[in-house]
Amino acid sequence: MSEHGHSHGANASARQLSLALALTGTFLVVEVIYGFVSGSLALLSDAGHMLTDVMALVLSLFAIRIGQRAPDRKRTYGYRRTEILAATLNAGALFAIGMYILFEAYRRLREPVEVQSTTMLIVAVLGLIVNLISARLLVSGSGHSLNVKSAYLEVLADLLGSVAVIVGALVIRFTGLAWVDPVLGALIGLWVLPRTWVLLRSSVNVLLEGVPEGVDLGGLRAELAALPGVQEVHDLHVWSVTSGLHSLTAHLVVAAGQPQADLLPQVHAIAERHGIEHSTVQFEPPDAHTGHERHLHP
């Protein structure tokens, strides 16, 4: 992807995130106030998730703005990895809130709290509308950016949470079963936690410079080793700078007389087939390490 493509995608994501932030931030105030007024844990659970939405959207916008800064002498890749830092913080915050909601649901099952179902229902319906609009704004960018995906997942969790709160309010209104509220709050937390864990794991993998998801390192190594004249592949590293921006470095031991100029385009073609757009290769003669210890890397 070209630099222009990255910039265009970032600007589009920023617009989507800004609109979602305006909607979510405005409604957050309403939901927190009426969550306490109604006494509903499900509504407060939804408000807690919406708070992380606001945090996620603010961090995501900040990451996009910082990530667009040009590389400098200290950061030759620029600031694109701020996107991953934001996604990690967002996922960690949502995971912590999910755990808290489970604890609070357990406490309320032991000590029931009176719930005002009418207030709970009205606010939940409004929250559903806000979340539907926000999710629609973010869905297109969620497949290309962990940063936007983290915000989208949190909005999606809120959307489902709003549906659960609506159902709970109706059940409580017509049956008087107050335990439905903490059970729904717990179910929202249980739905969110596994998805948040997946996002957190993906973000940490980028920060640890792990092999990007979807890249078959064994297959990549085999294809490089099968190139004409290549006798050995070592010091092969594949990692992500940020979402969708993968890099590769490798040392190829090449037979004497093998034209390196013919090999280089083939190496780049193999890398691109594996979704790697930036590759750096060092060619070495067979006797390059004679008499020296070689440090082999996976």
Side-chain angles (χ1 to χ4, degrees):
M1 185 183 294
S2 67
E3 195 70 33
H4 174 74
H6 281 298
S7 177
H8 177 76
N11 289 331
S13 294
R15 286 192 298 271
Q16 295 165 345
L17 288 166
S18 297
L19 290 171
L21 176 60
L23 285 169
T24 306
T26 300
F27 188 74
L28 170 63
V29 178
V30 175
E31 191 164 37
V32 168
I33 292 173
Y34 284 98
F36 283 107
V37 169
S38 67
S40 169
L41 176 63
L43 199 58
L44 286 174
S45 170
D46 197 44
H49 291 154
M50 190 159 283
L51 175 61
T52 63
D53 287 353
V54 172
M55 292 168 54
L57 292 166
V58 170
L59 281 171
S60 297
L61 280 169
F62 174 76
I64 286 176
R65 297 306 184 196
I66 294 297
Q68 288 177 325
R69 293 174 61 178
D72 54 36
R73 293 181 180 180
K74 291 185 176 181
R75 295 169 182 83
T76 56
Y77 276 114
Y79 294 77
R80 292 176 181 173
R81 188 157 283 189
T82 52
E83 173 200 12
I84 305 302
L85 292 172
T88 305
L89 288 172
N90 292 339
L94 187 56
F95 194 85
I97 286 182
M99 294 298 294
Y100 169 76
I101 291 300
L102 290 179
F103 170 77
E104 184 65 14
Y106 171 76
R107 190 181 69 81
R108 289 202 177 192
L109 283 172
R110 291 171 60 92
E111 302 175 10
V113 175
E114 183 181 353
V115 176
Q116 298 179 16
S117 59
T118 301
T119 302
M120 177 180 172
L121 178 62
I122 293 172
V123 177
V125 170
L126 293 174
L128 177 62
I129 295 171
V130 170
N131 287 320
L132 281 170
I133 297 172
S134 296
R136 181 67 182 86
L137 288 170
L138 298 175
V139 65
S140 61
S142 64
H144 310 289
S145 166
L146 282 178
N147 191 26
V148 178
K149 183 178 181 180
S150 69
Y152 171 69
L153 278 178
E154 294 183 24
V155 169
L156 188 62
D158 278 342
L159 191 155
L160 295 178
S162 295
V163 173
V165 174
I166 290 170
V167 172
L170 292 172
V171 171
I172 293 170
R173 182 175 180 81
F174 292 107
T175 68
L177 299 175
W179 58 264
V180 170
D181 179 64
V183 168
L184 285 173
L187 289 176
I188 294 171
L190 289 172
W191 186 90
V192 169
L193 286 174
R195 288 156 181 79
T196 303
W197 176 253
V198 171
L199 174 63
L200 186 60
R201 186 179 61 189
S202 298
S203 301
V204 171
N205 185 60
V206 175
L207 293 177
L208 293 177
E209 298 190 342
V211 176
E213 296 178 8
V215 175
D216 178 6
L217 189 64
L220 175 62
R221 182 189 295 275
E223 289 186 47
L224 292 174
L227 289 173
V230 174
Q231 298 179 345
E232 184 182 349
V233 178
H234 65 93
D235 289 321
L236 174 61
H237 300 281
V238 182
W239 72 98
S240 297
V241 175
T242 187
S243 303
L245 185 58
H246 307 327
S247 298
L248 171 152
T249 60
H251 292 198
L252 304 185
V253 179
V254 181
Q258 175 67 39
Q260 297 178 3
D262 295 340
L263 282 176
L264 195 56
Q266 298 179 64
V267 171
H268 290 321
I270 290 173
E272 289 176 0
R273 283 201 299 272
H274 286 264
I276 302 166
E277 66 178 56
H278 182 81
S279 52
T280 303
V281 181
Q282 177 174 318
F283 295 107
E284 301 174 350
D287 58 350
H289 295 273
T290 301
H292 296 280
E293 180 183 0
R294 175 180 298 176
H295 298 281
L296 295 179
H297 299 275

